Amino acid sequence: MVDITFKTFSLRKAIAAATVKTSDISTVEAVQNGTVPKGNVLEFARASALLAIKKTSDVIPDCHPLPVEFAAINYEMSGLDINITVEVHTIYKTGVEVEAMHGASVAALVMYDMLKPIDKNVEISSIRLLEKLGGKSSQKNIETENLTAAVVVCSDSVSQEIKNDTSGKLLVDSLNNHGISNVDYSVVPDDVSAIQEKIEFFKNKGCHLLVFTGGTGLSDRDVTPEAVFPFITKEIPGIMETARNYGQDRVKTSMLSRGIAGFSDDMLILTFPGSSGAVKEYVQALFPQVLHVFSVKNGDGH
């Protein structure tokens, strides 16, 4: 199965449909009146669709097992057609469109099986997805073309050229991949004055986003939060809460990171850990949705 361990939980919805075509209006009337010899077609099909939805991962090899938190099966008669719609909701890492389509297809098969003794020409047509919500397909497009950013690596060893930087360069590449092409890159030692000089420089430059990597841990030389905090004019606690929560599901020591985030007037400052693994996790947890703060700050709403 496809790796979804990096994904985050979100509300996912899907609506699928299937059509059962009969050849005589008397077949539709028998369904409506509950006089089909095999029993109540609509209720048998409804129960079977619910079972199919919950068992999708058992019969579709690549589907991940997921919690089904809502399912509804509805019918509409239109001439000789019986139209089935199936709606499924979950809060999970992957969508439920296959679950909805599986439910619709099994409901249609049950109808076919129950109706074929009284209608030899009954058939199933057009099993299809009507609607899908949640995940990347529902994310609002965020304008990044005009955003400028800076990545500052806070590290004594990198600044002294004892070690090579990986996290900062990874951040630059990640911002490029999210449509921010104008990214400044620099390295400073774990020093409050050096870090604050960078903040002043990029604020004066009119930079939109400043990301520090390193110095958020617990050693005496980890001073990035202390250096940044006096410049924060509007703190946004949920940003780092989200990043730490995402990391905590994967590495239990994620709770030890002391990163902070917020606006310094018009510039958003983020403080990431120094390890490349943590940077990957923070980027996955926060981007691109964190960039929505700029339109919200400008009064465009959520």
Side-chain angles (χ1 to χ4, degrees), residues 19-46:
T19 300
V20 175
K21 293 183 174 292
T22 68
S23 63
D24 196 290
I25 194 64
S26 64
T27 304
V28 177
E29 291 173 348
V31 171
Q32 291 175 316
N33 298 330
T35 58
V36 175
K38 282 194 172 186
N40 190 317
V41 174
L42 300 182
E43 290 309 310
F44 268 103
R46 189 189 312 278

Side-chain angles (χ1 to χ4, degrees), residues 112-184:
Y112 175 89
D113 177 65
M114 295 183 74
L115 295 178
K116 67 183 188 316
I118 63 171
D119 189 337
K120 299 301 181 184
N121 295 312
V122 66
E123 63 180 53
I124 297 169
S125 70
S126 62
I127 297 167
R128 60 206 179 276
L129 181 67
L130 298 181
E131 187 177 334
K132 174 188 175 184
L133 296 172
K136 287 185 178 180
S137 62
S138 296
Q139 284 182 355
K140 180 181 177 181
N141 290 328
I142 299 172
E143 180 60 48
T144 59
E145 184 178 351
N146 297 319
L147 293 180
T148 58
V151 170
V152 177
V153 179
C154 302
S155 171
D156 288 334
S157 57
V158 175
S159 67
Q160 295 168 14
E161 298 184 349
I162 298 172
K163 289 183 179 179
N164 292 323
D165 166 57
T166 56
S167 60
K169 293 174 182 176
L170 176 62
L171 258 174
V172 172
D173 290 342
S174 297
L175 292 174
N176 291 161
N177 291 336
H178 282 95
I180 304 176
S181 57
N182 188 357
V183 182
D184 194 292

